[in-house]
Amino acid sequence: MKRVWRLLYYARRYWLQSLAAVVLAAGVGLFDAFRVFLVGPIFDNVLHPGQTAGSVKQNSLLTEIGARFHLHITLQSLVPSWIHNDWSVVAFAFVVSTLLKGICDYIGTYLANYAGFGTITDLRDDLYEAILRRSVSFFQKHATGTLLSALINDIERVQYATSSVLSDFLQQIFTLFFTVILVIALGGKLAWILLLFVPVVIVSMRRIGRDVRQTTRKGQDRLAEIQNILHETITGNRIVKAFNMEFWELLRFRQAARRLFRANLRSVRAQAISSPLMDFVGAVAIALLLLVGRGRIQSHAMTVGTFFAFIVALFKLYDPIRRFAQYYNSFQQALGASSAIFDFMDAQDEVCEARHPHVLKGFRESIALEHVSFAYSDDEGEKEALHDINLTIRQGEVLALVGPSGAGKSTLVNLIPRFFDATGGRILIDGHELREVSLASLREQIGKVTQETILFNDTVRNNIAYGQPDVSFARVQEAAKAALAHDFILRMPDGYDTLIGEKGFRLSGGERQRLAIARAILKNAPVLILDEATSALDTESESLVQVALGNLMAARTVIVIAHRLSTVRRANRIVVLEGGRITAVGSHEELLQISPTYQKLYRLQFIDMDEAMTAEPALMGKAEL
Ligand SMILES: Nc1ncnc2c1ncn2[C@@H]1O[C@H](COP(=O)(O)OP(=O)(O)OP(=O)(O)O)[C@@H](O)[C@H]1O
């Protein structure tokens, strides 16, 4: 129920359209019931056996109509005075009521859908915002396909229920309401027999609804599973090919598709039972009524026309009730889907903005880590990745982090822009604790270039100016020149306006890196976090990237996860991390003397990686700006 209120809360902005849709739906129901009511007079008066149309005294027809409703209005009073005979009155009433019903139907459906689609658009916007703002750990916990599935499939389920189904439902509920009045007015005691069936219908519908909700949720989860496989194998298509895994992935996909197939069938089994069940209940009710009605006609307690109108009204009643079962199923499906949506929206963020955050205006002194520890937590428990780290990074220095794989280097640098919060100790920037600083102002001070260059399927220019849409073209070019990217950009078909393809697939590895460097240069943040690529590019590309990096690092405070000898030589201090602890700090020469781990890294990693660099030293000079 809470979810229903929450969905309604989203509809509050569209209350006017919703209200108008309700009024118009009431119009549809009223005119629909009115048309059914006309069946009685058509039979008893217009088509009366032995009489020709128009020979029945108009007043007797109208009096009868008035009397049936115990109302003082007459059909004659509803039609223009120049229409006299029975046929004309009924025909006019029939045509005009159909026309009015059609107008209410059209405008009402439009407005109900307006409110429904509007509500869903707002909900989708909020869900996207909630997901986008979640901290990094949220994206580690939830697979991309699952999130896409919530944004697309779950939203679509709710959309279907709140737009198409809701507008139909509104009309049907009023049709039901007015037709019930008609059934009672026409049938009298006969109508009460129907009450016997109400509990049967309600109990079975509730049960079916519960099954539908549960099976639909399972179906949506299976769909998310498929979406995950699709996402992984389409974005990782090159790896799939390289490892000849097409067949294996195909099998994995087919198994997931089969699971979806079975889940969908379970959902259909739960849903499809409602229609035949209602058919059966309806047939039993009508059979009983025929039996009782026959007796009443014989005893002249009812005319054939009235009984016929009563049965038509009953059939009319049956339609909304039967459809209610489907609506109920749709609403249950929407509720099932909305649980995933609201769960994502309510997920508690580990990294939160302080109540009254301090806004950093720049970076002046230092970043200090005091007794910092960090543990990743997942379903299997906590896993400590950093332990009692004490480190001060002074403004303007280049600090290199080195250490074996899994030592905690990435974890440490991820704490500085608050991708994660330290689980022990504290981090201060210019004397302010990170948790007390506004997230936006903190991240404004930090530029980041990682091994994996993340580019968007947009133009070169927009990729460089990411986050600064209003920056001048001249500054974009300046940044590209400093990143040694300008020349290759100009060689592209549309220069700076060339679309680079998804994740920049149309560019070489080195070009991608230089675009990412240009982006960081343009951002011009005082602190730079650099995660050097471990894979060597070809000699020329590597040299260009190194020079571009040199330009980026100039006059900044740099924390670099270093894999190159040239980088550690450039650093003011080198920190050796091992198993989440700092085991040594010093210059290259000092560490070669005191740290066995550093010596090993030097022998096995740095020298190898730098062989390519030293092979063509001439390029370095050429690339210098
Ligand atoms: N999201 C995560 N959830 C759980 N454990 C993690 C997560 N990310 C990293 N770890 C673990 O934390 C430890 C430190 O990882 P981290 O990525 O910081 O190492 P690293 O020094 O950067 O390694 P590399 O040089 O290979 O990139 C490793 O044992 C790793 O398995």
Side-chain angles (χ1 to χ4, degrees):
M1 205 55 203
K2 232 172 79 191
R3 265 171 277 154
V4 177
W5 285 118
R6 208 158 158 189
L7 282 174
L8 281 178
Y9 177 74
Y10 268 93
R12 73 196 184 286
R13 277 183 52 200
Y14 305 95
W15 69 271
L16 194 62
Q17 288 87 348
S18 307
L19 189 70
V22 171
V23 172
L24 289 165
V28 173
L30 182 67
F31 290 121
D32 217 18
F34 180 72
R35 289 182 333 150
V36 175
F37 165 75
L38 287 178
V39 169
I42 288 171
F43 258 78
D44 289 344
N45 302 90
V46 180
L47 301 177
H48 198 276
Q51 311 246 9
T52 49
S55 65
V56 174
K57 280 220 170 344
Q58 206 191 92
N59 278 346
S60 71
L61 166 71
L62 300 175
T63 316
E64 195 182 325
I65 293 167
R68 277 180 200 169
F69 264 131
H70 305 289
L71 293 175
H72 295 297
I73 55 151
T74 61
L75 197 53
Q76 179 69 72
S77 65
L78 299 177
V79 301
S81 54
W82 49 266
I83 296 176
H84 296 297
N85 69 45
D86 299 338
W87 173 83
S88 324
V89 170
V90 172
F92 182 86
F94 189 72
V95 171
V96 171
S97 61
T98 305
L99 185 70
L100 290 175
K101 181 195 153 205
I103 293 171
C104 291
D105 188 352
Y106 180 74
I107 303 175
T109 303
Y110 175 78
L111 289 176
N113 275 278
Y114 185 98
F117 280 114
T119 305
I120 286 303
T121 305
D122 295 349
L123 183 66
R124 193 194 283 114
D125 286 352
D126 280 6
L127 176 63
Y128 180 61
E129 187 181 347
I131 289 179
L132 208 59
R133 287 187 183 282
R134 287 282 96 97
S135 57
V136 175
S137 58
F138 174 85
F139 293 94
Q140 292 189 340
K141 273 188 210 133
H142 303 286
T144 313
T146 311
L147 297 177
L148 287 180
S149 181
L151 275 161
I152 298 167
N153 307 329
D154 291 335
I155 288 277
E156 196 190 276
R157 287 262 172 197
V158 181
Q159 172 167 307
Y160 178 64
T162 53
S163 46
S164 332
V165 176
L166 195 63
S167 63
D168 218 26
F169 171 76
L170 279 177
Q171 291 185 1
Q172 294 298 332
I173 200 148
F174 283 110
T175 303
L176 181 76
F177 175 73
F178 290 113
T179 316
V180 163
I181 294 181
L182 193 64
V183 163
I184 295 169
L186 293 173
K189 285 184 196 130
L190 221 53
W192 300 116
I193 293 180
L194 296 170
L195 279 182
L196 290 176
F197 295 91
V198 171
V200 181
V201 172
I202 291 178
V203 169
S204 42
M205 279 305 102
R206 281 184 72 92
R207 227 204 101 95
I208 293 170
R210 203 189 55 213
D211 289 353
V212 168
R213 193 172 55 222
Q214 285 164 356
T215 49
T216 305
R217 186 61 260 152
K218 285 221 175 77
Q220 294 292 90
D221 291 344
R222 296 282 172 253
L223 198 57
E225 195 183 341
I226 286 202
Q227 217 138 358
N228 271 324
I229 297 177
L230 284 177
H231 178 79
E232 277 171 10
T233 49
I234 291 173
T235 53
N237 186 263
R238 292 173 192 210
I239 297 292
V240 175
K241 282 190 173 32
F243 283 81
N244 268 333
M245 288 294 276
E246 286 95 337
F247 184 64
W248 191 85
E249 290 297 353
L250 203 62
L251 274 185
R252 194 158 76 104
F253 182 81
R254 284 192 180 159
Q255 281 161 0
R258 193 86 205 153
R259 282 194 287 275
L260 174 65
F261 172 70
R262 281 198 293 268
N264 280 343
L265 282 188
R266 271 196 291 276
S267 172
V268 167
R269 268 210 301 271
Q271 281 179 61
I273 191 73
S274 52
S275 233
L277 188 81
M278 295 310 295
D279 276 349
F280 181 71
V281 174
V284 172
I286 287 177
L288 258 178
L289 288 172
L290 280 176
L291 185 70
V292 182
R294 193 175 56 171
R296 297 205 67 190
I297 293 171
Q298 277 164 3
S299 63
H300 298 289
M302 208 177 206
T303 67
V304 175
T306 308
F307 183 72
F308 195 69
F310 172 71
I311 292 291
V312 172
L314 255 192
F315 271 108
K316 198 81 193 159
L317 200 65
Y318 167 70
D319 193 44
I321 291 181
R322 194 177 56 85
R323 287 216 220 170
F324 280 148
Q326 289 162 7
Y327 300 148
Y328 188 61
N329 289 347
S330 286
F331 288 130
Q332 291 298 339
Q333 288 181 349
L335 282 185
S338 70
S339 73
I341 295 172
F342 290 136
D343 283 352
F344 282 133
M345 286 172 92
D346 296 341
Q348 284 299 316
D349 247 341
E350 282 147 29
V351 175
C352 309
E353 183 88 293
R355 249 164 195 268
H356 303 289
H358 172 80
V359 178
L360 286 176
K361 295 276 172 358
F363 173 61
R364 286 184 194 84
E365 292 159 23
S366 65
I367 297 171
L369 287 85
E370 296 179 355
H371 304 290
V372 167
S373 57
F374 180 79
Y376 287 105
S377 54
D378 51 30
D379 299 339
E380 286 141 34
E382 294 217 327
K383 185 179 167 199
E384 191 167 67
L386 292 175
H387 183 79
D388 196 26
I389 302 287
N390 287 295
L391 184 67
T392 300
I393 303 138
R394 287 181 287 273
Q395 198 266 340
E397 86 169 322
V398 175
L399 184 108
L401 289 175
V402 300
S405 180
K409 305 179 292 290
S410 307
T411 308
L412 197 153
V413 296
N414 279 338
L415 295 183
I416 295 170
R418 282 192 76 197
F419 288 161
F420 302 96
D421 272 337
T423 42
R426 59 181 197 157
I427 304 177
L428 304 163
I429 181 163
D430 285 350
H432 302 283
E433 211 179 309
L434 282 197
R435 290 171 199 261
E436 302 303 324
V437 165
S438 98
L439 273 173
S441 76
L442 170 69
R443 290 175 185 168
E444 225 164 79
Q445 312 308 321
I446 301 169
K448 199 162 188 268
V449 178
T450 53
Q451 289 194 29
E452 188 200 359
T453 45
I454 300 190
L455 297 170
F456 297 96
N457 188 10
D458 201 341
T459 60
V460 172
R461 178 182 173 167
N462 290 345
N463 266 288
I464 297 178
Y466 187 68
Q468 305 181 76
D470 301 326
V471 78
S472 72
F473 184 44
R475 285 194 54 210
V476 173
Q477 281 181 309
E478 223 173 87
K481 280 179 190 161
L484 308 190
H486 183 68
D487 290 346
F488 88 77
I489 295 171
L490 288 187
R491 282 198 298 272
M492 293 169 89
D494 296 316
Y496 280 83
D497 293 322
T498 311
L499 285 169
I500 59 168
E502 198 178 18
K503 293 188 182 171
F505 276 151
R506 281 184 212 148
L507 301 173
S508 76
E511 288 168 346
R512 279 205 292 272
Q513 284 185 16
R514 278 180 280 152
L515 276 196
I517 292 169
R519 180 154 74 194
I521 290 177
L522 189 64
K523 185 177 178 187
N524 198 21
V527 180
L528 175 68
I529 292 175
L530 198 62
D531 188 356
E532 259 186 339
T534 42
S535 53
L537 300 166
D538 68 70
T539 320
E540 185 179 346
S541 273
E542 185 68 51
S543 315
L544 292 171
V545 167
Q546 286 303 319
V547 177
L549 278 176
N551 293 333
L552 170 63
M553 288 161 74
R556 281 178 229 279
T557 309
V558 184
I559 305 157
V560 51
I561 299 178
H563 297 287
R564 309 261 192 287
L565 185 62
S566 54
T567 315
V568 285
R569 280 192 190 283
R570 208 183 287 177
N572 302 93
R573 277 188 306 156
I574 304 162
V575 172
V576 183
L577 262 181
E578 280 174 84
R581 289 160 204 268
I582 295 179
T583 53
V585 182
S587 68
H588 173 62
E589 283 73 21
E590 284 165 358
L591 290 177
L592 278 181
Q593 302 294 322
I594 59 168
S595 170
T597 310
Y598 190 78
Q599 287 164 5
K600 205 161 124 196
L601 283 171
Y602 174 69
R603 276 200 316 275
L604 297 178
Q605 196 184 0
F606 297 156
I607 293 181
D608 267 6
M609 292 294 285
D610 269 41
E611 268 170 8
M613 291 295 305
T614 45
E616 275 186 62
L619 267 169
M620 298 285 285
K622 189 176 90 182
E624 214 74 66
L625 282 181

